[in-house]
Every structure is written in structure tokens, then in C-alpha cells.
Amino acid sequence: MTGPRAGGAPEPHDGPGAHDGPGADGAPAGAGGRPLLEMRGITKTFPGVKALSDVRLTVRRGEIHAVCGENGAGKSTLMKVLSGVHPHGSYEGEILFDGEPVAFRDIRASEQRGIVIIHQELALVPYLSIAENIFLGNEQTRRGVIDWNGTQRSAARLLARVGLREKPATPVADLGVGKQQLVEIAKALSKEVRLLILDEPTAALNDEDSRALLGLIGELRETGIACILISHKLNEVRRIADTVTILRDGRTIETLPVRTAPDAEPEVSEDRIIRGMVGRDLDHRFPDRTAYEGEDAGTVALRVTGWTVRHPVDHQRTVVDDVSLTVRRGEIVGVAGLMGAGRTELAMSVFGRSYGQYVAGAVEVDGRPADTRTVPAAVAAGIAYVTEDRKRYGLNLIDTVHRNVSLASLPHLARHGIVDEHEERRVAERYRSSMNIKTPTVFEEVGRLSGGNQQKVVLSKWIHAGPEVLILDEPTRGIDVGAKYEIYTVVDRLAAQGKAVLFISSELPELLGMCDRIYTMAAGRLTGEVSRAEATQEVLMRQMTMDGSRGSS
């Protein structure tokens, strides 16, 4: 038995029809019965902004229901209303769960009814064990004292259910992101989940971990657990979802059936979903390239030779091993690799040696040796790095748009050591317009912007610094297709101006659509280099899975 449900709430098996299995006709479980969840006329207003307007959502038992929309469409706000983060009384409309009106005052109240949300930023304590994390806030007790033996046994059963072989006593910090996601799901199962909400669950996962997680979600469907899946990866939506609801500008646009049975082929195309999300057809996922025609076109702007870096803690472990590469002016060069291949470690170590222990290697910019021993030195040498983790390393979330835009170029905006605030504001306004940053004012706190607009602020910051070489690490992670297209347009414009772009991405279609050449990495080494004409997903995947010791350099 797992621990007692918080607050003594009734077990989820109480009541008619709970946890129905798949229907006899092969339709999603409970699809023909009473809805498990109904959200009617949900309207949520923040000061000066209507985030949700008359939104409707219906989810049935045993259904995987995807919610799609551009950043800022209202997806996260809707889930915060459902889970009690935005408590009853702070929004208009009604929520029915299992046919009964509910009024959640906080997250604990929604969890008592079996609604559990797993956010994109996982809520695990890294220095506690797996078992301690699973039952954190829902501790197994006996006579008022934590029953550690019972906790370990219950955790082991839950880990087996989600397919995780680690011991319950293993610290969460020792797990990769994919396994941490499974711990989160085990934690949800410990709370007798009936409706599981997953917010971008595969955004930080490699292909193998993504397939495993989606497979587990499918298995949960067979037990009658309903799931709301928020994802920008439309191929995954088509692969796993039964139904998709599309939000745009805080409104419900439409709800579409994806498939008639769990094993049936999807009936909705990605283009059809995109049309609902952005309100128009995207004839091309990637903008047409404009070639750079300067006198120095084709000359090498960035040359990295013999770059070798060891792990920052385990100095016996080499994470970047004798890597050599070039990027020419006006060229977009991709770097592909599975998680752990060393792509980010390469980028961060080249940019001011901000990761790991430098061992060997040299960097040249425009044919001259570049001092990259510190971040300021790398910036002075003409190199900029757009991190994959914009919230932790790319932005000051509690500061304004205009302050973030100027962060990397304050010396250019200063007079006699004092920042010219009027010029700082004018620069930010210029980028707000040219980058189409959707914000009511440049004095808006960056943390309040959508992911796509935050990414545009990061790009603006580095573009204004005037680099010759831009290293972009997962520049479109966690943003929608419309915002992706805008980011692609910016990157193409930079290449057309003669900038050299090193483009790291986990999405192979993105690399194939954007890059002139693509390097592949495995185990810290380069395993190949492919031209745009020769590159396919199959070729890249084959080189990404090679033994790094056999690759080319």
C-alpha cells in the first residue's frame, strides 16, 4: 500500500466508472462515458492582460488529451487554474471533476482529487533519495513517525511500475533528466493520480528517453488514467494523443480527434494543428536563405583546433576530446548529437572556458588567435553564446526587458562610466520592434514574458554586443512553431549579414532545415561532417550513435 492520501480524501476508486479500462470498441478508455474533467467558460485576467477568455476543455477517462498553442496562448495559465495554483475565486467559469463542481484553493486540494501536474522544471530535491522525493509531503507514517521501511518498499513498487531500475535510496542528483521524469510520474502515482498533467515532458530528453516516457504514458492510459499533454513537439502529439485542443490568444479555437483508437494511425496532420495554432498556413517551416555576398564570404571566421576539456569535478573524465571544426562567414553550421555527446560542453568551454577543466586546444577568430580564457575575453574576441538554459544562464528574470537587452554591451552604452538610460531604452525599443518581442513595454519584467519572447530578448542582448561568431545552443527549445519561425528568420538574417553561426540542436529536422553543414558528435568526439545536400536524419543518426573513438576529427 502507498501512503495515506493527504487530508484523508476518498480513494479514487470510489464512485461509479472510476478507472474504466479501454472500451470494447478499441476507443480510448471511457470515451463513450461521462467526462472526467470539464472546464467551462474559464476566464483569467491579470492586470492589463486577459490571459484566458471563455476557455473550454473536456477530458475523458483513459484519454491522452494534448493541449497545443503558441507561447502565450494560455496553456500554462489554464493548467494553473485547474491545479489550484490560481485558486478558485481568482478566475471566472467552473470546473467539473467526475461530474461534480470543484473549487480548488491550492495544489494540495487538487491533488486530493487525483489531479497531479508535472511542470517542465521538475520539482525534485536533488540531495534527497528517490524514495524521499516520491513521498515528500505525502510521507508514509506509523504512529506519527515516518516508516522508512514502508517508504522504501512502496517506492520500489512504484519504480517498478514506471520501469525505473534504480534503488529507492539513490540520490536524485545521480539521475539523468529522463529518469527524473520517471521519478516525477512515480510520485504522481503515489498520490493515486486520476488526471496527470505533463507540461513539455520531453523538452529536455533525448530520443530514447522520449520514446520510453511516451510509452509509459500509453501504459497509464490502459489503466484508465487520463493525461493532459502540453507539448510543442507535434510529431509526439500525433504519436500518442487521442485528442488535441488548440488554444490561441487565450481562447479555445477547436478540439480535434487525433485517432479513433490507441493503435490507430493519426488522422490529423501537423500542418492542420499548426494552422489552428497560428491562424494561418505555414507554407514553409524554414525561411528561404539569403546568401552573404560580402568580399570576405566563405572565409573562415571561427576555427577551433584540438579542443580538449575534462569534467569539472571528475578530472579523469574527458568530456570534449580533440575536437576541431570551422565556421565560415555567412554560414550556419550545425552540431548534432545525443544527450551526453558533449555539444553544450564544447560550446561553453569555448566561450570563456565557462565549463570544465581546459586541457588543450586553440581558437581563432578571422584567422587571428583569440583569447577565450574568460567570458569577457571571449566577448571581446567577437564570440557570443546563447545558452540552452535561458532562465538560469541567459536572463535576469526579475529585471526588465531593457536591462536584459543591454547586459552584454554596457560599455557601449556608458558615458564616463555611467550608463545612458535614455540610450539603453532606445536600444531596447529598437530590438522590441525588429525582433517582434511581444511585451507591453520594455520596462516589463522578463520573467513575465512567454518562452519565445524571452528567447528573443536573449538574442537581442547578444546581437547588440556586435559579435562576429554566434554559438546558439538549442535556440528554439520549448517554444512554439510560430516563434520558432521568427527565430529562424533572425538567424538567417545574421548569416546574410556575414556572421558565422554555430547551431546546436537536438531536433534533426531543424538542423536539416537551417544548416549548410552539420557536424555530429558522440562521447565528446566528432564522428562526422555532412553537407546540406548529403544530410538526412538516417545519416545523422548513424553518425551520432557511432563509437566516438572511431570518429573523424
Side-chain angles (χ1 to χ4, degrees):
M1 293 289 290
T2 55
R5 288 168 57 76
E11 293 297 314
H13 298 290
D14 294 348
H19 282 198
D20 291 342
D25 59 356
R34 187 176 63 191
L36 176 66
L37 169 72
E38 293 180 86
M39 302 183 76
R40 301 174 178 172
I42 303 299
T43 299
K44 173 66 177 175
T45 302
F46 296 102
V49 178
K50 180 172 282 190
L52 299 172
S53 180
D54 194 31
V55 172
R56 306 175 305 282
L57 179 68
T58 300
V59 180
R60 302 183 182 279
R61 296 176 181 81
E63 178 184 41
I64 299 176
H65 195 119
V67 178
C68 294
E70 295 187 273
N71 287 105
K75 306 183 298 298
S76 295
T77 302
L78 184 65
M79 293 305 105
K80 288 178 180 178
V81 166
L82 173 58
S83 60
V85 174
H86 296 316
H88 182 262
S90 68
Y91 60 88
E92 300 174 23
E94 63 175 345
I95 302 173
L96 279 69
F97 192 74
D98 212 4
E100 301 176 355
V102 291
F104 300 136
R105 64 187 181 277
D106 51 30
I107 290 180
R108 179 174 288 272
S110 66
E111 289 183 347
Q112 288 174 352
R113 294 300 299 262
I115 300 172
V116 180
I117 183 168
I118 299 177
H119 296 280
Q120 185 174 351
E121 289 82 16
L122 303 181
L124 298 174
V125 181
Y127 301 111
L128 295 183
S129 69
I130 293 174
E132 289 168 322
N133 270 280
I134 287 175
F135 293 105
L136 188 62
N138 186 32
E139 286 77 9
Q140 302 265 277
T141 60
R142 179 180 293 177
R143 298 174 184 172
V145 178
I146 294 177
D147 179 3
W148 290 111
N149 290 330
T151 297
Q152 296 287 324
R153 288 194 300 270
S154 297
R157 285 195 293 269
L158 290 165
L159 293 180
R161 188 173 175 188
V162 301
L164 197 56
R165 297 181 180 179
E166 268 69 11
K167 294 180 180 179
T170 303
V172 163
D174 293 348
L175 304 180
V177 179
K179 291 181 178 180
Q180 289 184 22
Q181 284 278 15
L182 298 181
V183 172
E184 282 277 25
I185 293 178
K187 185 176 180 179
L189 294 175
S190 77
K191 299 172 183 177
E192 300 288 357
V193 62
R194 301 181 65 190
L195 175 62
L196 180 64
I197 305 167
L198 293 160
D199 188 358
E200 296 289 349
T202 64
L205 303 187
N206 60 30
D207 289 342
E208 182 179 354
D209 286 342
S210 294
R211 283 193 295 271
L213 181 59
L214 295 176
L216 175 59
I217 294 171
E219 292 173 10
L220 295 178
R221 168 173 56 194
E222 297 304 314
T223 69
I225 295 174
C227 177
I228 295 177
L229 176 68
I230 299 175
S231 179
H232 292 309
K233 297 184 179 181
L234 302 186
N235 60 327
E236 293 181 353
V237 169
R238 293 179 70 247
R239 184 188 313 168
I240 193 70
D242 303 303
T243 310
V244 57
T245 290
I246 299 171
L247 302 184
R248 186 169 74 237
D249 298 329
R251 298 177 180 272
T252 303
I253 300 302
E254 56 189 341
T255 296
L256 304 170
V258 177
R259 54 176 43 82
T260 56
D263 296 327
E265 288 297 315
E267 299 179 354
V268 175
S269 68
E270 290 186 29
D271 288 341
R272 177 67 182 82
I273 299 174
I274 289 171
R275 187 163 69 247
M277 289 171 58
V278 302
R280 64 189 187 281
D281 289 316
L282 282 183
D283 297 327
H284 304 286
R285 298 285 184 90
F286 305 97
D288 295 329
R289 287 292 300 277
T290 302
Y292 173 56
E293 298 179 349
E295 293 181 359
D296 55 354
T299 60
V300 174
L302 173 69
R303 185 185 301 275
V304 177
T305 307
W307 199 257
T308 302
V309 176
R310 293 199 179 108
H311 191 275
V313 177
D314 182 2
H315 294 169
Q316 302 302 311
R317 177 183 162 201
T318 300
V319 292
V320 181
D321 191 359
D322 194 28
V323 169
S324 298
L325 55 80
T326 60
V327 187
R328 297 177 177 87
R329 284 197 168 275
E331 190 179 34
I332 302 174
V333 174
V335 181
L338 300 176
M339 189 173 293
R343 299 166 302 163
T344 293
E345 291 83 352
L346 169 65
M348 291 183 67
S349 60
V350 167
F351 184 68
R353 301 185 188 177
S354 50
Y355 176 88
Q357 181 187 53
Y358 169 79
V359 175
V363 177
E364 295 180 3
V365 175
D366 287 331
R368 296 184 296 274
D371 179 3
T372 62
R373 288 174 293 181
T374 66
V375 170
V379 173
I383 301 174
Y385 171 59
V386 176
T387 172
E388 65 174 343
D389 190 344
R390 59 179 172 266
K391 291 186 177 180
R392 180 178 298 180
Y393 300 121
L395 295 167
N396 182 348
L397 294 175
I398 62 174
D399 212 337
T400 61
V401 171
H402 82 292
R403 292 268 175 82
N404 274 273
V405 168
S406 66
L407 274 177
S409 52
L410 288 175
H412 304 306
L413 298 172
R415 294 180 179 178
H416 308 295
I418 299 174
V419 174
D420 183 340
E421 294 186 358
H422 296 291
E423 181 62 19
E424 185 181 40
R425 188 189 72 247
R426 283 193 291 270
V427 167
E429 288 287 2
R430 186 169 73 246
Y431 282 104
R432 176 191 178 197
S433 175
S434 65
M435 300 285 283
N436 192 28
I437 301 172
K438 297 176 182 176
T439 175
T441 169
V442 295
F443 300 104
E444 181 76 6
E445 190 176 287
V446 168
R448 297 180 180 272
L449 304 185
S450 68
N453 287 301
Q454 288 180 355
Q455 192 70 351
K456 293 175 188 176
V457 173
V458 177
L459 281 168
S460 300
K461 175 182 75 174
W462 285 115
I463 292 170
H464 188 249
E468 300 304 319
V469 177
L470 285 98
I471 304 174
L472 307 181
D473 194 353
E474 303 285 2
T476 65
R477 171 172 286 174
I479 62 178
D480 61 82
V481 290
K484 279 185 177 183
Y485 188 88
E486 292 182 315
I487 298 295
Y488 297 151
T489 300
V490 172
V491 174
D492 277 348
R493 188 165 68 233
L494 292 169
Q497 294 169 0
K499 306 297 184 183
V501 180
L502 192 65
F503 193 106
I504 300 170
S505 177
S506 297
E507 298 186 31
L508 297 186
E510 182 171 74
L511 291 172
L512 294 169
M514 288 294 296
C515 299
D516 302 298
R517 289 184 293 125
I518 302 172
Y519 289 104
T520 54
M521 290 187 70
R525 291 181 62 89
L526 291 185
T527 56
E529 176 185 353
V530 187
S531 69
R532 185 187 188 105
E534 298 171 337
T536 65
Q537 291 197 48
E538 292 75 16
V539 168
L540 295 178
M541 185 58 69
R542 184 163 56 249
Q543 295 189 354
M544 289 159 55
T545 54
M546 288 173 60
D547 180 351
S549 63
R550 295 185 285 108
S552 61
S553 54

